[in-house]
Amino acid sequence: MCGIALSLGPEADPATFRRMLAVLAPRGEVTETRSERGLLAGTRRLRVVDRERAVQPWVSPDERWLLCFNGEIFNHRELRAQLTRLGYVFRTEGDTEVLLAAFERWGEDAVHRLRGEYAFAIVQRSTGRAYLARDPLGVKPLYWSRRPGCLYLASEVKALVGHGAPVAEVPPGHHGWAEPDGHLRLRPYVDLLTLGDGLPVIDDPDEAALLVRAALADAIRMRVDTDLTVGVVLSGGLDSALALLYVRELHPDCVAVTVGVPDSPDVAYARRLAADLGVPHEVVELRPRDIRLADVREAIRISELTEYGDIINAVVTMPIFRRLRELGVKVVLTGDGSDELFGGYPMYSQVGTAARRLFLHRIRNLCRTELQRVDRTAMGHGVEARVPFLDLSVVELAMRLPLELKRRDGQEKWIVRQAFADVLPDYIRRRPKSPMSYSSGLHERVRLYKPLFARLHRSFGYDLLEPVRRDFDTVLTRCGNDLDRAIAHGLARPDYTVLEHARDLVGAATWNAAPMVRRLVGPRPARRSTVG
């Protein structure tokens, strides 16, 4: 929905605040600010819900509270109806006003009523205290930094690195208060580690399939409640295909977008599915040689990511959102999160009895891997990406399913394939899992630049939050699939060695050189004769 920035405290400086907000400009269309003594607050707002009246920062009718809000509250209509019955009179049709009204009515308990993807700050104007909250999975970001006399809050790391102080994040599913002295007291309101505890395991395949189908359909329905065109990032794989099937049914004003080399699996499967469904389809065709160092540098600058695989995926993802911006599409759905929830990775079968703990570890870290990539690459082009697979109801359901329903007979995400067997084309249902950057045909080109990732990351000051480190799946493999060792090793945040980078570079260079070698040594086309 937007980017937010706040400076709280007696040393809040207008020039510094303006620079913070300017860095967030790509996240929205209009800049809206409010300046008070000890409080500078602003948004770069992407106008999606009640586009003309839902201005920010939003101030309560009694002027006690000020809200800066990033994201969407998908059940705002239901909350509005409840609050109206309680006597609240609304001035807009937007979710921003509903969010602040819910806080005024229910206080900190309001977060338990929210269904959405959000991060927000509510400032008590008389004291300068700020209440902060972030959605359970961390779909929307919120970071903070502190210097004497001022607490800084922002939607992205890049808005905070100019202060030269360490940067920290508000963890997913946490809320609490930032005091005028800059001290934060945050605590979890949702604990992903215990989500679903006390509820029975669902081990009957038929029951599980029905529940998975109902939960995902409802999550998508909530996310297409808009009068705007809805885009779908379509790889031609299982998850994005499901998103497109339901978006087409629920919101026919939609468009699919795919990236890849012309003969890549992603492009081939996506073209066929879009044609079969009659959905407008935009294909961003790239050749490996089209990706250059400048593209990698820009992807790192925008994404702020800290694992190599995520950075490669960000480079591949960027052209999709660039095209959506050109098309004027502001809202898009993706299939992210399904692999983590429903056993889409071989590692789930390799760690033995630790499969559930691995599952929880990956879910808790999505905020700094997949979800960070999606948020930054989308919002960096003024596009809001929504992730229905990570609706809390879907996550809770996935927690209750045994691994045997997620991976069966050598097939990943088995229960998802069963749940939608009657609506998915067979060629999609039977397509094996292939990582995004690989199946687009662009992974090996980006891999050429891997030895430069960490240096580029540091050049933007992002190491004030955390450094680039090995991919977790690599760490797990090196630790013999011992999850405890892998987590402990990962906490040390080691990077790849120079030798490992050199070996990787040789492999990538060999792959990239192969087409040229084939052209040089292959048979030359026959020379056409000239008729005199």
Side-chain angles (χ1 to χ4, degrees), residues 459-475:
S459 74
F460 297 116
Y462 297 156
D463 53 322
L464 287 169
L465 176 65
E466 57 179 327
V468 171
R469 84 283 288 287
R470 295 174 186 268
D471 299 298
F472 180 75
D473 55 351
T474 302
V475 175

Side-chain angles (χ1 to χ4, degrees), residues 6 127-128 164 169 235 273 312 336 453 487:
L6 298 96
T127 65
E169 70 171 339
S235 68
L273 181 65
I312 291 174
D336 291 279
F453 286 5
I487 291 175

Side-chain angles (χ1 to χ4, degrees), residues 44-272:
R44 180 68 178 169
R45 183 164 63 95
L46 185 65
R47 294 179 290 192
V48 175
V49 181
D50 201 349
R51 295 182 282 277
E52 300 305 319
R53 295 183 296 171
V55 298
Q56 291 196 48
W58 185 264
V59 178
S60 62
D62 60 10
E63 300 192 345
R64 291 180 59 206
W65 305 99
L66 175 147
L67 166 67
C68 283
F69 165 44
N70 171 31
E72 303 288 346
I73 307 300
F74 299 127
N75 64 334
H76 71 95
R77 299 186 194 280
E78 293 89 338
L79 294 174
R80 176 187 298 272
Q82 294 175 33
L83 290 162
T84 298
R85 288 193 295 269
L86 293 169
Y88 196 94
V89 178
F90 287 92
R91 295 173 277 167
T92 72
E93 294 298 320
D95 55 344
T96 300
E97 184 180 14
V98 170
L99 174 57
L100 187 51
F103 175 78
E104 288 185 281
R105 178 69 189 188
W106 296 302
E108 296 178 30
D109 288 337
V111 289
H112 297 289
R113 299 171 180 261
L114 304 180
R115 186 176 180 185
E117 301 167 356
Y118 52 82
F120 60 83
I122 298 175
V123 182
Q124 188 176 36
R125 295 172 65 212
S126 62
T127 65
R129 300 176 73 221
Y131 172 73
L132 313 177
R134 188 177 178 193
D135 67 69
L137 274 296
V139 179
K140 288 300 173 185
L142 187 58
Y143 300 92
W144 60 274
S145 183
R146 182 170 51 211
R147 292 186 67 84
C150 193
L151 175 69
Y152 305 98
L153 298 162
S155 294
E156 297 187 8
V157 179
K158 59 179 66 69
L160 299 173
V161 295
H163 310 312
V167 178
E169 70 171 339
V170 174
H174 280 61
H175 68 155
W177 290 89
E179 302 298 334
D181 62 2
H183 186 70
L184 272 70
R185 295 182 177 87
L186 303 174
R187 63 189 187 283
Y189 67 89
V190 169
D191 184 0
L192 294 179
L193 294 179
T194 61
L195 198 64
D197 282 3
L199 298 174
V201 172
I202 304 167
D203 53 10
D204 177 75
D206 293 332
E207 180 187 7
L210 288 172
L211 291 173
V212 167
R213 181 160 176 162
L216 183 61
D218 186 57
I220 294 174
R221 177 188 62 80
M222 299 282 284
R223 286 161 174 78
V224 297
D225 182 14
T226 176
D227 61 345
L228 298 172
T229 300
V230 173
V232 175
V233 176
L234 180 65
S235 68
L238 176 67
D239 311 316
S240 62
L242 283 173
L244 183 61
L245 278 166
Y246 275 91
V247 170
R248 172 182 171 271
E249 177 182 329
L250 298 167
H251 194 89
D253 181 13
C254 62
V255 60
V257 183
T258 306
V259 66
V261 300
D263 57 349
S264 67
D266 278 5
V267 170
Y269 278 98
R271 283 191 192 279
R272 183 176 178 183

